[in-house]
Amino acid sequence: MDKKLLGIFAFILLIILLAGCQEEPEEETTPDEAKSEETSQAETRAQQYIELWNNQEFSKMYGSFLNKGSKDVYGSQNFVAWQEDIYEQLGVSDVNVTYTPPEEAVDYTADMPADFDIHVEMETMAGPVEFDQTLTLLYETHQEMEDWFVEWNPTYILPRLEMGDEVEVRLTEPVRGELVDRNDKPIAVNSDAMMVGVVPQNFNTPEQKEKLARALEMDVSEIEAAMNKSWVQPHYFVPIKQVPSSDQLTLDRVFAVPGTKQEPSEFREYPYGEALAHLIGYIGPITGEQLEQLKDQGYGPNDMIGRQGLERALEDRLRGKPGMQVIAHKPAAGTDPVTLYENDAGEGEVIKLTIDAELQKSIFESMAGEPGASAAVDPETGETLALVSSPSYNPNEFVKGITGSRYQELNDAKNKPLFNRFAASYSPGSAIKPVTAAIGLESGAIDPEEGIDIEGKRWQLNGSWGGFHITRLHDDVKNPVDLHKALVYSDNIYFAQKGLDIGREDMIDGFKDFGFTEDIPFVLNLQPSQITNNGSLGSDGQTADTAYGQGQMLVNILHLAAMYEPFLNGGTMYEASIFLEEDEPTVWKEGLVSDNHAELLQTAMRSAITDGYAKSANIGEVAVAGKTGTAELKMRTGDAGKENGYFVGYDSENPNAIIAMMIEGIEDESNGSDYVAGKVAGVLKAHKE
């Protein structure tokens, strides 16, 4: 081929190759198409605005999302400050604004509003508030950017709200729920009363305060203390004391004092008074500290609130939900107010307890004001039938408004009536021996047929404990001493030796199987039972001492009663229930003792009454069975050297209630527990009748 033609061919080929390597030019975007891409951001902007709304970030909502027209009309003061103020008045929390996307894609265009159907929910001090609204966004140039902005108005806060409205929130207190016992006997009920109070700007002379103090039988200093609380304003009504409507004489005296005011209120009444005081507790005027903590839940400065016991623990259920009316006062003269939102108060619950109020009263009266504690449980269900602390106080005094001098009198009383003994724990002494016996029987460390020879009243291991000895009260029991005799005659030396046979680790594990060291499942806080201070047994002497309920062992009285349940129901210990509404008992521990071993323990506990030293419980009307106990006083309220007396007993022919009782400060060690046994037997007799 001609060289000239060859060159031309090569040149053409090169041009073709270069052309093939060129990228195809991008198609030009028309202005309309670009605008369509921008307008697809409307839904994203709506989502971002809603997220800020849910977090109540009103400043960001205003600054980045409100359109120019809304800002010009309402301004930051109305959008941010007004909205925050209304939310605070309502006690708003848990704002949840949602919208449902359209089923089919919507082509939002710049020349038309973008509407989104939203649903607004929020929790308030009076319950939930919810409403539907349409969120409208407009496409405009704002703050040197083109985007979608929200067209806002006050109905986004509350329906029917308008510019310039002054919002007022009125709360209606609910009727407090009541407490009744298992037989529908009233325990904590409502009755009519008048709340006596003053308005500071009309009540400011010493003469007024002195007259009111005399009428209400209180100190002037207490009236002044109420008037000087942090929340008080000159025009506020300041509650001083509640007076039952039936006490007309006191109300007439109050009415005669200028500057006083009376408002109808409900009076909380406790028909069983002292007998149930520590369990039920009482209500009282809300404190400034409580008001600050609970103001978002609809509490006001004049409210009553649960202060102790079940009244406090069940406050949420008993109080109910306050009613709320949100009113808009219009700026134009002569314009009627508009109700923006309203809901009725919801009454508190009527709660039925497992407590048998008459049994509780019987136990309390049997203790005759002596310091101690008692508990009664149903062995088949774990239901708490009674829970007593003695001595006690009258909760009705606190509801009326107890004077400072009277409170000080109770606080300083020798036997501490304000101290709740059933919530504490004490050394159980020999009352724990059936539990130790069950641990030994189940582990095989105790053979019930095997007896041991014990001589004298004192014993120590191989003479190795120096001055420390295990002592028993009675050395006249014939040898050999077996489990039955040891329980009937409460032999400390037998149980000390068997505790060593069980061994430290198995002993600890056995007591833990019975709930020691765990929190006691109950609606009120109860001090857990402990084996030792640190949970371990550090020596043979401590192990021996612990086996019969001494050493560092401490037991709560309700837990002690529950530990006897497995001996009567087939080996189960239930959680102590207090609400009768619970359908099924809740198992706490199970498989604690076999039927054969339980029968041995039942026989021994019956013989402890008929043949042993609890003679006061050996009455003809009831076949009482149980176990006595005497222990060193761990929480002293008396003189040094006194003892705690225990008895845990039940009707062996109809074991529908186990009663555990402890009396502090028994002086005579030889018959102190028998004294307690007689009290329990008397209660069981009354309960049977």
Side-chain angles (χ1 to χ4, degrees):
M1 179 181 292
D2 186 280
K3 291 183 178 180
K4 186 177 181 179
L5 291 173
L6 185 62
I8 293 170
F9 177 75
F11 177 77
I12 294 171
L13 180 62
L14 178 62
I15 294 300
I16 294 172
L17 290 172
L18 288 172
C21 293
Q22 293 290 326
E23 293 184 2
E24 294 184 7
E26 294 184 2
E27 295 183 9
E28 293 187 9
T29 303
T30 66
D32 288 342
E33 289 169 335
K35 185 64 68 177
S36 176
E37 187 174 328
E38 289 175 352
T39 58
S40 66
Q41 297 301 313
E43 189 170 349
T44 300
R45 289 280 286 175
Q47 291 172 334
Q48 293 170 345
Y49 181 82
I50 287 172
E51 183 177 356
L52 292 174
W53 192 349
N54 285 328
N55 294 325
Q56 300 181 48
E57 298 184 62
F58 300 122
S59 293
K60 291 183 180 179
M61 293 162 66
Y62 179 83
S64 301
F65 285 87
L66 244 63
N67 77 324
K68 187 175 184 304
S70 297
K71 286 186 174 182
D72 290 343
V73 172
Y74 300 106
S76 174
Q77 185 66 24
N78 282 309
F79 182 86
V80 179
W82 192 33
Q83 201 157 189
E84 288 177 342
D85 181 60
I86 291 175
Y87 271 38
E88 183 177 356
Q89 288 185 67
L90 297 175
V92 169
S93 63
D94 299 328
V95 178
N96 184 28
V97 183
T98 57
Y99 86 101
T100 304
E103 295 181 1
E104 298 181 359
V106 177
D107 184 17
Y108 299 107
T109 60
D111 57 347
M112 294 292 290
D115 290 335
F116 299 91
D117 292 330
I118 62 172
H119 183 70
V120 181
E121 296 179 354
M122 63 184 82
E123 284 296 325
T124 72
M125 63 180 70
V129 170
E130 55 183 299
F131 57 90
D132 294 317
Q133 184 58 278
T134 300
L135 181 65
T136 299
L137 280 73
L138 304 177
Y139 191 84
E140 62 182 43
T141 300
H142 188 40
Q143 295 179 337
E144 299 181 355
M145 63 180 288
E146 290 186 353
D147 212 332
W148 290 93
F149 293 90
V150 173
E151 186 178 43
W152 185 85
N153 66 71
T155 62
Y156 285 78
I157 304 176
L158 286 170
R160 304 177 68 189
L161 186 65
E162 295 178 344
M163 179 72 167
D165 287 351
E166 182 179 340
V167 174
E168 177 190 3
V169 178
R170 296 177 182 174
L171 294 177
T172 305
E173 278 299 303
V175 176
R176 190 172 182 86
E178 299 183 334
L179 296 171
V180 299
D181 86 337
R182 64 188 304 112
N183 299 311
D184 292 316
K185 291 185 179 295
I187 292 176
V189 294
N190 302 316
S191 58
D192 293 334
M194 298 296 290
M195 178 59 75
V196 173
V198 300
V199 177
Q201 63 187 13
N202 302 326
F203 190 89
N204 47 31
T205 68
E207 291 79 11
Q208 287 174 304
K209 295 173 183 178
E210 290 171 2
K211 288 181 179 179
L212 181 59
R214 286 196 298 271
L216 294 177
E217 297 181 348
M218 58 193 305
D219 297 331
V220 170
S221 61
E222 294 170 296
I223 296 174
E224 292 175 337
M227 295 177 65
N228 290 329
K229 289 181 179 179
S230 60
W231 56 266
V232 172
Q233 298 294 326
H235 60 286
Y236 280 11
F237 173 77
V238 180
I240 302 297
K241 189 173 183 179
Q242 201 173 34
V243 178
S245 296
S246 57
D247 189 358
Q248 192 59 49
L249 179 61
T250 298
L251 293 174
D252 289 343
R253 289 172 179 168
V254 169
F255 186 74
V257 180
T260 59
K261 187 177 179 181
Q262 300 176 21
E263 290 189 353
S265 67
E266 289 186 344
F267 180 72
R268 194 68 162 178
E269 186 177 1
Y270 303 100
Y272 284 87
E274 295 181 356
L276 274 156
H278 288 95
L279 177 60
I280 303 304
Y282 55 85
I283 64 171
I286 192 169
T287 65
E289 182 180 356
Q290 289 173 317
L291 181 60
E292 182 63 28
Q293 294 174 347
L294 300 171
K295 62 182 180 181
D296 291 342
Q297 298 180 30
Y299 286 90
N302 298 335
D303 286 347
M304 305 289 279
I305 191 171
R307 298 288 292 271
Q308 293 292 337
L310 292 178
E311 287 276 32
R312 179 177 179 177
L314 304 178
E315 173 69 16
D316 287 345
R317 295 180 61 185
L318 290 170
R319 182 183 183 234
K321 290 291 183 182
M324 182 172 68
Q325 186 180 25
V326 183
I327 299 170
H329 296 279
K330 301 298 179 178
T335 305
D336 292 334
V338 174
T339 298
L340 304 178
Y341 181 82
E342 185 174 19
N343 71 344
D344 295 329
E347 293 186 6
E349 295 181 46
V350 175
I351 300 176
K352 195 168 186 175
L353 304 177
T354 59
I355 295 296
D356 184 327
E358 290 299 318
L359 175 61
Q360 173 100 7
K361 181 181 177 183
S362 178
I363 292 173
F364 179 76
E365 290 178 347
S366 76
M367 297 175 76
E370 295 184 75
S374 186
V377 297
D378 185 330
E380 295 299 330
T381 64
E383 291 175 352
T384 305
L385 303 175
L387 200 49
V388 178
S389 180
S390 174
S392 187
Y393 61 90
N394 186 350
N396 294 299
E397 286 189 73
F398 285 81
V399 179
K400 294 177 183 178
I402 192 168
T403 64
S405 57
R406 173 56 178 156
Y407 180 83
Q408 197 62 44
E409 180 185 349
L410 290 170
N411 195 52
D412 295 341
K414 179 182 177 181
N415 288 331
K416 304 298 181 187
L418 298 180
F419 175 56
N420 185 357
R421 288 170 167 84
F422 71 65
S425 58
Y426 297 82
S427 176
S430 296
I432 206 67
K433 286 174 180 173
V435 178
T436 303
I439 294 170
L441 288 168
E442 295 304 309
S443 68
I446 293 180
D447 179 350
E449 304 298 330
E450 180 185 12
I452 58 177
D453 291 334
I454 303 174
E455 301 296 338
K457 287 190 175 184
R458 288 156 47 99
W459 172 83
Q460 63 172 224
L461 182 64
N462 300 324
S464 60
W465 290 346
F468 174 71
H469 293 79
I470 304 296
T471 303
R472 60 177 179 167
L473 287 176
H474 308 286
D475 61 352
D476 55 352
V477 180
K478 293 182 179 180
N479 285 319
V481 178
D482 59 13
L483 176 62
H484 182 83
K485 288 182 180 179
L487 284 169
V488 171
Y489 301 108
S490 199
D491 198 301
N492 290 345
I493 295 176
Y494 175 92
F495 277 94
Q497 293 185 16
K498 291 305 177 181
L500 294 173
D501 291 343
I502 293 170
R504 300 182 193 180
E505 295 304 317
D506 284 348
M507 177 92 74
I508 289 172
D509 290 343
F511 281 123
K512 285 184 176 180
D513 286 343
F514 273 84
F516 277 80
T517 74
E518 294 184 25
D519 290 337
I520 299 171
F522 195 65
V523 66
L524 300 179
N525 290 328
L526 305 178
Q527 186 174 341
S529 300
Q530 70 172 44
I531 305 168
T532 64
N533 292 342
N534 62 9
S536 65
L537 294 168
S539 67
D540 287 339
Q542 188 178 41
T543 303
D545 226 14
T546 302
Y548 62 94
Q550 290 286 175
Q552 296 173 350
M553 176 176 278
L554 299 173
V555 173
N556 175 271
I557 195 71
L558 180 60
H559 186 195
L560 180 61
M563 281 189 275
Y564 277 60
E565 292 171 4
F567 310 145
L568 303 179
N569 67 20
T572 298
M573 186 164 67
Y574 294 103
E575 292 186 2
S577 59
I578 191 72
F579 306 120
L580 202 63
E581 64 201 28
E582 296 173 1
D583 296 329
E584 296 294 332
T586 302
V587 173
W588 185 14
K589 306 289 181 179
E590 57 187 340
L592 295 173
V593 62
S594 68
D595 290 343
N596 290 338
H597 292 155
E599 187 176 351
L600 291 174
L601 296 175
Q602 290 177 39
T603 300
M605 286 191 285
R606 174 60 180 149
S607 296
I609 311 303
T610 58
D611 304 328
Y613 299 109
K615 297 297 186 182
S616 295
N618 191 20
I619 58 178
E621 296 85 351
V622 182
V624 179
K627 183 70 190 76
T628 56
T630 308
E632 180 184 352
L633 188 60
K634 293 294 182 181
M635 291 186 175
R636 295 189 183 281
T637 57
D639 298 331
K642 293 183 180 180
E643 308 290 330
N644 287 345
Y646 275 91
F647 185 70
V648 184
Y650 58 93
D651 181 347
S652 62
E653 295 177 348
N654 183 26
N656 57 7
I658 299 170
I659 300 176
M661 183 182 291
M662 180 273 296
I663 300 292
E664 291 180 12
I666 301 294
E667 293 189 17
D668 187 348
E669 183 180 2
S670 63
N671 66 10
S673 57
D674 177 57
Y675 171 71
V676 183
K679 290 178 178 291
V680 173
V683 173
L684 288 170
K685 175 185 174 183
H687 185 56
K688 183 176 182 178
E689 295 172 351

